[in-house]
Amino acid sequence: MRTRPWRSVALVVMAVAALVGIGGVASGLWSVLWGGQTTAIQGLAEEVPWDQAIVVPSVAPRPTPSAAPTFDLAQHSTSDPGSPWVIVNKQHPVARDHEPPDLVDVDGVRVRAAVEPDLRAMVEAAGGQGARLVVRSGYRSYAEQTDARAAIEARRGFAHAERYSARPGFSEHQTGLAVDIDSGSDPSCNLQTCFTRTAEGAWLSEHAWEFGFVVRYTEQNTGVTGYSPEGWHLRWVGRELTAHLHQNGIGSLEEAFGVSGGAEYVAG
Ligand SMILES: [Zn+2]
């Protein structure tokens, strides 16, 4: 039998062609299937932020968030009378001629503009829960505080006035950030110790902080503030700070900021 080497060559070529052909079909199918899938994955991936979709082991791990982020007590001044966090007490007076620039009227009482929304919201919320808060007074100028203090002194004597009423120049009312609240349910307790036992006094001691106010003078903080308890005297500092005080059980502005206070008036 004569050998025909070209046929062997042709067979090899055909075999290769066949394989390539099948491979081509397979490759086509592959690209259709896999290509489609790749597109779908890319579609999903587009909705994931790139830095979360890609794991880069060399990047330092993010710091673990602390349970309670540190509250920044330095955001506002405690000595500037225009600051929402100003501390006014017997050690820290307000300049005689200080007058807030943005006083607004709320039911016949003047307060700084920032106080108004929280004051209105608080009165409304209390009313819905059976506590009839009546806003009695707000901003008092130096001259008005002079008159108010003199009236209390004339009626109740110097010692009483020292415990309940600031000397002119030492009153939070001059900042436009303080208000006195009367009881709508029992007016006989207005400006009296028994105010805390009225529906209004009880509501305020529990809820005033939710509206950015602190009951400034309490039984617990008398030594620090230098005033006898006044459940009716509220000081606005904003909801951020009152939430901080509430969450940490801090009973006075003096303690929160480490500012001096007490019953003694600063010399001079
Ligand atoms: Zn007051």
Side-chain angles (χ1 to χ4, degrees), residues 137 140 164 171-173 178-180 191 217 230 232-234:
S137 65
R140 286 200 288 269
Y164 288 97
S171 173
E172 281 196 320
H173 285 279
V179 290
D180 291 334
L191 304 183
Y217 311 120
E230 296 186 6
W232 59 88
H233 176 101
L234 304 182

Side-chain angles (χ1 to χ4, degrees), residues 122 177-179 181 204 208 213-215 231-236:
M122 182 173 70
L177 300 170
V179 290
I181 305 289
L204 286 173
F213 291 89
V214 291
V215 177
W232 59 88
H233 176 101
L234 304 182
R235 163 62 195 278
W236 184 88

Side-chain angles (χ1 to χ4, degrees), residues 18 47 50 53 60 70 77 83 88 119 133 139 146 151 181 193-194 207 209 216 225 229 235 244:
E47 293 172 25
W50 67 271
T70 311
S77 165
S83 163
V88 176
L119 182 56
L133 306 183
Y139 168 72
T146 304
I181 305 289
T193 309
C194 63
H207 297 288
W209 73 271
R216 187 73 171 91
T225 62
R235 163 62 195 278
H244 168 74

